[in-house]
Amino acid sequence: MLASPLFSSILITALVTVASSLLVIWNNWEKARANEQERTLQKIAAELSVLKLQISPHFLFNTLNNIRWLVRSHSENAEPALVKLSQLLRYILYQANHDTVPLEKEVEHLQDYISLQKMRIQEQESIRFEVAGKLEGRTIVPLLLIPILENFFKHGTFAADANALIMLSVHGQSLNFRTVNKIALKSTGNDLTEKGIGLENVKRRLALHYPNQHTFRHYEDNGYYFVNLEIEKI
Amino acid sequence: MMRCIAVDDEPFALQLLADDIGKIPFLQLMKTFSSPLEALEYLKTSSVDLLVPRYSDAFAEGNRVS
């Protein structure tokens, strides 16, 4: 055995140096990873707030303009329309800041949105909105479904026989939301790129909030447009 | 009198536009259209002096009639 005291102390010093260096390196690495995670989180948070704000200014100004006509023609519908618009704005400004909202609130919001959109449609009876199942106790990411409705009203045509349908149903913990609308002839030159943005936002929000827990399909078939969203657990 | 037509795909906005045009004494509103293509059809057989396109605001650009 060559274990002289000198050799032992050199060995111990070396071991301590290596160990502490490793500790420092590991610490730094851990810190870098935490920073990286923090950055990712911040990025996602920023992206989420932007996506939430994608409520269409076009819709707001159209609605105001519609109400302007109701006022000018002394229609008794002017006041209820204003009340709905005010509820809708209140919801967007205050409720939508929360990560999730009670499903009942979101459904009320959908109802306000639908009735404001319906104002400009002659055959209002051709659009059905059905809600089925037990909403109480369920929550949802706010404003998630609005872009689907925007798409529905923007590209749909609503003659008496068009049979447009918006349906939201809850089975236990799962949510199904689907829309069917007859597609309007593309005569007014609606550009197709815009069509993509709304549903693209829905897709991204779903991926962020309900990863691997949803199926989202939208397709055209025989002049009709179908959107079908299933979230397994809300 | 100036002969004019109005185009807007929003029915209420079109009514507003028609109502506004009615208030201007030297304008005569010939017809209103909800789509530029219909207006274009009309223009093939009739002549007008003024075309009033879609009501537009700060955010919503009018659809081009061309």
Side-chain angles (χ1 to χ4, degrees), chain A:
Chain A
M1 291 290 265
L2 275 167
S4 71
L6 179 64
F7 181 74
S8 297
S9 66
I10 290 174
L11 190 67
I12 289 168
T13 314
L15 275 176
V16 168
T17 313
V18 169
S20 58
S21 307
L22 278 176
L23 206 67
V24 168
I25 290 169
W26 189 73
N27 247 342
N28 283 346
W29 182 73
E30 191 69 350
K31 248 186 225 159
R33 213 175 58 131
N35 280 343
E36 183 63 37
Q37 248 172 5
E38 178 73 29
R39 260 200 302 278
T40 314
L41 271 179
Q42 274 173 0
K43 218 177 107 190
I44 291 174
E47 186 169 11
L48 280 183
S49 56
V50 168
L51 290 180
K52 264 194 229 164
L53 286 173
Q54 294 284 1
I55 204 80
S56 149
H58 192 99
F59 164 74
L60 289 181
F61 284 100
N62 270 343
T63 303
L64 280 173
N65 207 37
N66 289 342
I67 294 173
R68 187 175 144 210
W69 171 248
L70 295 178
V71 169
R72 191 186 286 190
S73 58
H74 304 288
S75 163
E76 58 184 17
N77 295 328
E79 195 181 336
L82 262 185
V83 170
K84 284 194 185 101
L85 182 61
S86 140
Q87 281 169 357
L88 185 119
L89 287 175
R90 182 176 298 117
Y91 185 82
I92 294 171
L93 290 174
Y94 300 116
Q95 291 289 320
N97 295 331
H98 302 113
D99 290 340
T100 58
V101 290
L103 186 56
E104 290 157 287
K105 291 266 179 217
E106 182 72 12
V107 168
E108 275 170 31
H109 179 66
L110 295 180
Q111 254 145 3
D112 283 339
Y113 182 84
I114 290 168
S115 48
L116 286 174
Q117 283 278 23
K118 269 182 163 183
M119 273 168 58
R120 47 187 274 272
I121 292 165
Q122 305 265 312
E123 304 281 348
Q124 303 200 349
E125 304 308 314
S126 69
I127 301 173
R128 279 184 302 147
F129 177 38
E130 290 174 10
V131 179
K134 197 165 160 277
L135 307 183
E136 298 98 79
R138 302 264 76 92
T139 59
I140 190 170
V141 171
L143 306 178
L144 179 68
L145 308 173
I146 288 289
I148 299 176
L149 291 185
E150 256 171 21
N151 212 53
F152 174 92
F153 283 104
K154 188 166 175 209
H155 300 286
T157 180
F158 305 101
D161 60 344
N163 285 323
L165 175 70
I166 301 164
M167 182 149 180
L168 183 146
S169 55
V170 178
H171 306 280
Q173 290 193 306
S174 76
L175 171 90
N176 180 259
F177 183 74
R178 56 197 189 92
T179 62
V180 182
N181 64 270
K182 197 173 182 179
I183 303 166
L185 287 173
K186 291 169 181 112
S187 60
T188 43
N190 288 332
D191 67 283
L192 289 162
T193 49
E194 220 178 307
K195 182 180 181 177
I197 292 171
L199 295 185
E200 207 48 50
N201 276 351
V202 176
K203 216 179 275 177
R204 288 167 74 177
R205 291 192 77 197
L206 283 168
L208 286 168
H209 290 285
Y210 304 102
N212 306 318
Q213 287 181 54
H214 67 271
T215 46
F216 181 49
R217 294 186 303 137
H218 49 95
Y219 53 93
E220 187 178 332
D221 186 24
N222 212 0
Y224 281 81
Y225 203 76
F226 297 82
V227 177
N228 200 328
L229 168 65
E230 184 97 38
I231 302 177
E232 283 163 35
K233 197 168 167 245
I234 54 162

Side-chain angles (χ1 to χ4, degrees), chain B residues 4 6 16-17 21 24 32 40 42-43 46 49-50 57-60:
Chain B
C4 74
L16 273 173
L17 208 54
I21 290 169
I24 302 172
T32 60
L40 207 59
Y42 176 83
L43 288 176
S46 320
D49 306 306
L50 181 67
D57 51 58
F59 289 90

